[in-house]
């Protein structure tokens, strides 16, 4: 088992700081982005347990081009046939844009250098990157070379690179640049690093300005000191190398101490021009410096990085597929949680920040000013990276009401009152504590919908508003003053109550109080409004009202009612503000009543009744979906009045429905006086007329009858006339369909008038239903005839 030393100085030496007098980097700030080089396909690839295939490298290369990289280290082509072939593919298939320089790596060995030039032959622009290790450890232990021998090695092979560059430029038209790395620079004496680079620059002999500058890449091959030390080393190099204007000072930081980002940034302040790194910090051991991180650090300071990470998730997907390595959830800018707040105080600050920023940006826009991003805990707008705000706030047991309210506002457009935020937060907190897990956005929105019965039929509670109207009701008592009497409102509405449609009425100072009165009168639900608020969702013709209601149980003491500790919140949304308030009332009422039984709703038909003909008709529409003709409405209302004389004018909805079905024979199985057993319809010999031939059951006796008329119903009446005294005529006939699709059927309403000598004229209604509209009409005729005191001819014999 390992054991850390109490005194690590017995094993490890500290870094040796530079005595750099007058260092300038601590007082400098960033003003522009450095030159970027991606080494994902070379340094990143060599660090993978399973290196990328050629196809994967091609996908990755295209991604780097799309992101905007102008310098890409594509391979160490002399290391393997795979790398060599990949470079050749890029060249021969014109994969390299004209403004992109590919870079290839080679050690200071003649055979490998020659192989490297073969790989890039024909490319438009190529950077030959040669290296040899320069630190004392490598000079003394690995290669056993002196400083002079180390310089000679670099200079000798630089001469070869120059010679081959001239040759291939002539034969293949390639424009070459040269990069030299004193490998292990961060562990090399800075004076020696300068000396070897001076020798290389002289040997190259072609250093100029612009794209002719020689690149000196100064790698922190192993990060052995703090970032300020690396910055000192870079500033020393920049101020001591000759012909600085002809030199690109490049950085290649690794992340062994976890300070690769800081080292790169401070080294740029110290004078570096260029950074080599990988996307998301892939690379040997702890990785190369992360270029995404560096670029977005500049971006959040208002400095264009000249790299495009607008689709950060798409980039992550490609990189992780090619590298077969995940991006850590806490990775800067790219991790799953980087724009996420779980803490309640953080969520509350973000929620308030968004609200304030929305108002501030509106003022900025009106004044023609920049809309600066300035948010608590979010240094970067996630939308700039193609991310949504869905994951900004996520909820677990540590979260607060602000975070929950933010998600509700974000996804449901509901800006909850503070007290309702607290109430709903307690619901979410209880679920999170009980299940010991994070609450997803779907969890929160679905819980909100089910708690407040919000969001359509799927979430309806026991009570749901179907239709309503509110009308003014003048004060019943005249005023003794000249002031106008207070106008009250009457609520007439249809509710779904435990799945059954019911009509209720109430009065109050406004629609909400009128509904509360109706609920008290009809359902014994006695609640009082304590708080109401509203806001608008959307703008223009699509705008809707959102209403929030807090209800408390009514007591005899108004003060006690207003200060009740228990309350129920509701929410309603509708294009009509009154309807939004009414829906909010029922939302709260559903929570208040829970599963307690509700009294049976009844219609009041008798003296001083509260229900009229229209209420009876609405009840039939709601229970049977039948739209009664107006004359049938009046007729049935009389039937109901007579039927309720013994019950004080009271009748339940269920009994009302049964009364209608039995009275008019609607979908009942009981036998009727006249019933068609079977029939055939045919065209008459007279143009435009129809003939019916049928088996008619009359008082249980089957009779064969026939008749002729202008249509099926008049033909049926003609057939009946062969069996009865007097005449039957149709006073009214209407029909409509109910149901949908395969379940649709026709419903027919027929009023017959019967006249016979010596008898008073009488009329009756019949209702038939069938998938065949003709059958439906004939049924209605027979049921209406059965309700009349029709005289059978046989009775007269």
């Amino acid at each position: 088992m390992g054991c850390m030393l109490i005194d690590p100085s017995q094993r490890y030496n500290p870094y040796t700081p530079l005595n750099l007098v007058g260092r300038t980097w601590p007082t400098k700030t960033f003003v522009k982005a450095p030159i970027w080089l991606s080494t994902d396909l070379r340094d990143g690839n060599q660090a993978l347990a399973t290196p990328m295939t050629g196809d994967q490298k091609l996908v990755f290369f295209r991604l780097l081009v799309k992101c905007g990289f102008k310098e890409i280290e594509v391979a160490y082509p002399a290391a393997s046939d795979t790398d060599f072939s990949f470079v050749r593919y890029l060249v021969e298939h014109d994969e390299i844009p004209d403004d992109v320089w590919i870079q290839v790596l080679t050690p200071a060995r003649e055979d490998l250098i020659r192989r490297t030039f073969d790989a890039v032959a024909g490319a438009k622009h190529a950077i030959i990157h040669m290296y040899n290790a320069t630190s004392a450890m490598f000079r003394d232990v690995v290669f056993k070379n002196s400083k002079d021998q180390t310089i000679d090695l670099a200079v000798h092979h630089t001469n070869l690179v120059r010679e081959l560059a001239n040759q291939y430029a002539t034969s293949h038209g390639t424009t070459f640049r040269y990069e030299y790395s004193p490998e292990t620079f961060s562990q090399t004496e800075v004076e020696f690093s300068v000396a070897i680079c001076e020798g290389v620059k002289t040997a190259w002999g072609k250093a100029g300005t612009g794209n002719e500058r020689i690149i000196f890449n100064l790698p922190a091959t192993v990060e052995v000191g703090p970032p300020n030390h690396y910055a000192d080393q870079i500033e020393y190099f920049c101020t001591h190398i000759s012909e600085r204007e002809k030199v690109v000072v490049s950085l290649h930081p690794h992340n062994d101490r976890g300070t690769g980002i800081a080292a790169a940034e401070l080294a740029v302040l110290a004078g570096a021009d260029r950074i080599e790194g990988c996307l998301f910090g892939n690379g040997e051991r702890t990785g190369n410096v992360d270029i995404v991180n560096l670029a977005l650090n500049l971006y959040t300071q208002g400095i264009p990085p000249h790299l495009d990470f607008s689709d950060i998730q798409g980039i992550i997907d490609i990189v992780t597929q090619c590298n077969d390595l995940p991006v850590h959830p806490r990775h800067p800018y790219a991790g799953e949680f980087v724009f996420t707040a779980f803490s309640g105080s953080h969520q509350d600050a973000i929620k308030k920040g968004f609200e304030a920023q929305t108002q501030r940006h509106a003022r900025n826009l009106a004044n023609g000013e920049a809309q600066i991003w300035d948010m608590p805990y979010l240094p970067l707008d996630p939308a700039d990276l193609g991310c949504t705000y869905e994951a900004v706030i996520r909820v677990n047991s540590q979260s607060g009401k602000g975070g929950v309210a933010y998600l509700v506002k974000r996804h449901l457009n509901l800006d909850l009152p503070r007290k309702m935020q607290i109430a709903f937060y307690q619901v979410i907190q209880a679920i999170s504590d009980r299940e010991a897990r994070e609450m997803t956005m779907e969890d929160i929105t679905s819980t909100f919908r089910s708690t407040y019965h919000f969001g359509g039929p799927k979430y309806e509670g026991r009570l749901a508003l179907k239709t309503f109207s509110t009308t003014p009701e003048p004060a019943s008592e005249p005023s003794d003053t000249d002031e106008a009497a207070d106008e009250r409102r009457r609520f007439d509405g249809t509710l779904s109550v435990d799945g059954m449609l019911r009509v209720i009425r109430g009065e109050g100072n406004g629609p909400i109080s009128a509904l509360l009165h109706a609920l008290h009168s009809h359902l014994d639900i006695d609640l009082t409004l304590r708080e109401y608020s509203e806001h608008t969702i959307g703008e223009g013709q699509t705008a809707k009202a959102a209403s929030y209601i807090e209800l408390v149980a009514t007591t005899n003491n108004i003060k006690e009612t207003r200060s009740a500790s228990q309350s129920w919140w509701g929410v309603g949304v509708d294009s009509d503000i009154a309807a939004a308030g009414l829906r909010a009332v029922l939302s709260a009422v559903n929570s208040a009543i829970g599963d307690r039984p509700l009294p049976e709703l009844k219609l009041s038909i008798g003296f001083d009744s509260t229900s009229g003909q229209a209420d009876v008709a609405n009840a039939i529409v709601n229970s049977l979906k039948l739209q009664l003709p107006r004359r049938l409405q009046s007729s049935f209302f009389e039937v109901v009045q007579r039927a309720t004389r013994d019950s004080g004018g009271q009748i339940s909805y269920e009994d009302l429905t049964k009364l209608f079905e039995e009275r008019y024979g609607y979908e009942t199985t009981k036998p009727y006086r006249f019933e068609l057993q079977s029939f055939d319809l045919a065209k008459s010999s007279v143009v435009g007329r129809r003939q019916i031939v049928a088996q008619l059951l009359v008082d249980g006796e089957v009779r064969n009858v026939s008749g002729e008329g202008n249509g099926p119903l008049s033909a049926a009446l003609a057939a009946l006339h062969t069996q009865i005294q007097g005449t039957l005529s149709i006073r009214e006939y209407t029909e409509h369909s109910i149901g949908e699709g395969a379940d649709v059927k026709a419903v027919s309403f027929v009023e017959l008038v019967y006249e016979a000598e010596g008898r008073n004229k009488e009329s009756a209604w019949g209702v038939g239903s069938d998938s065949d509209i003709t059958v439906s009409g004939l049924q209605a005729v027979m049921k209406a005839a059965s309700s009349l005191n029709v005289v059978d001819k046989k009775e007269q014999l």
Side-chain angles (χ1 to χ4, degrees), residues 397 428-439 443 447:
S397 61
I428 294 298
Q429 186 77 358
I431 297 173
S432 183
D433 283 342
R434 182 174 66 250
E435 300 184 7
R437 65 177 179 87
E438 177 191 349
M439 295 292 288
D443 291 333
T447 299

Side-chain angles (χ1 to χ4, degrees), residues 344-649:
S345 60
H346 290 204
Q347 292 173 346
D348 187 58
I350 291 171
K351 174 180 177 291
K352 292 174 180 176
F354 269 119
E355 292 168 352
Q357 181 165 270
T358 298
Q359 298 173 5
R360 186 175 66 253
H361 281 182
R363 293 193 300 269
N364 296 148
L365 182 62
N367 297 330
E369 301 167 343
Q371 298 181 29
I372 299 299
W373 177 267
D374 188 13
M375 283 286 296
Y377 300 109
L378 295 175
L380 173 68
D381 185 351
D384 289 356
L385 303 184
C387 301
T388 66
Y389 297 119
E390 291 184 3
V392 168
I393 289 178
R394 292 167 63 172
V395 175
N396 61 16
S397 61
Q398 301 300 309
S399 303
K401 68 180 187 304
V404 174
Y406 166 83
L407 291 175
V408 172
K409 183 176 182 180
R410 182 77 188 168
H411 297 283
L412 299 179
N413 296 313
L414 300 176
D415 191 3
L416 306 184
R418 184 176 181 278
K419 288 171 63 178
M420 190 176 184
Q421 292 181 24
I422 296 172
F424 183 54
Y425 164 69
Q426 291 170 347
V427 174
I428 294 298
Q429 186 77 358
I431 297 173
S432 183
D433 283 342
R434 182 174 66 250
E435 300 184 7
R437 65 177 179 87
E438 177 191 349
M439 295 292 288
T440 66
M441 179 270 292
E442 290 80 7
D443 291 333
I444 291 169
T445 54
S446 63
T447 299
F448 183 91
R449 292 182 187 279
S450 59
T451 300
Y452 298 108
H453 310 286
F454 174 79
K458 179 180 178 181
Y459 297 98
E460 277 186 357
R462 296 177 64 190
L463 307 184
L465 183 66
K466 295 304 179 182
T467 62
F468 79 95
S469 65
T470 58
T471 53
E473 289 286 325
S476 57
E477 298 182 2
S479 173
D480 295 333
T481 68
D482 294 334
E483 296 180 2
D486 291 338
E487 186 178 74
R488 292 173 62 77
R489 306 294 295 181
R490 175 172 177 147
F491 171 87
D492 290 89
T494 301
L495 303 185
S496 172
V497 181
D498 292 331
M500 300 294 292
L501 294 172
R502 301 291 185 254
V503 178
I504 65 172
R505 284 177 175 165
E507 295 180 1
N509 295 326
I512 291 174
S513 60
L515 174 56
L516 289 172
H517 176 253
L519 293 170
H520 186 204
S521 301
H522 292 271
L523 291 171
D524 197 25
I525 298 172
D526 196 4
L527 298 170
T528 297
L529 175 68
R530 181 159 73 181
E531 186 170 324
Y532 172 84
S533 64
E534 63 188 37
H535 65 78
T536 302
I537 300 174
E539 296 179 354
Q541 295 182 345
T542 61
K544 292 185 177 182
S547 298
Y548 307 93
I549 294 282
E550 184 188 24
L551 299 179
V552 293
T554 304
T555 67
N556 294 328
N557 186 304
I558 296 178
K559 186 175 181 180
E560 288 181 1
T561 299
R562 301 292 298 173
S563 61
S565 59
Q566 185 179 27
S567 68
W568 299 274
W569 279 92
V571 59
V573 172
D574 200 281
S575 56
D576 177 67
I577 191 170
L582 298 177
R583 295 185 191 283
V585 168
L586 293 178
S587 169
V589 169
N590 278 308
S591 297
I593 63 176
D595 57 1
R596 73 176 172 90
L598 296 175
E600 184 180 26
L601 276 172
K602 294 186 177 182
L603 290 170
S604 176
I605 307 297
F607 179 75
D608 194 24
S609 67
T610 59
S611 304
Q613 178 177 313
D615 298 308
V616 171
N618 284 338
I620 297 303
V621 170
N622 294 332
S623 60
L624 299 177
K625 314 300 183 188
L626 300 182
Q627 300 170 16
L628 307 186
R630 185 167 295 278
R631 288 176 54 81
L632 179 53
Q633 292 181 25
S634 178
S635 177
F636 182 54
F637 186 63
E638 293 178 8
V639 172
V640 176
Q641 287 179 311
R642 289 193 296 270
T644 58
R645 285 172 182 165
D646 296 335
S647 61

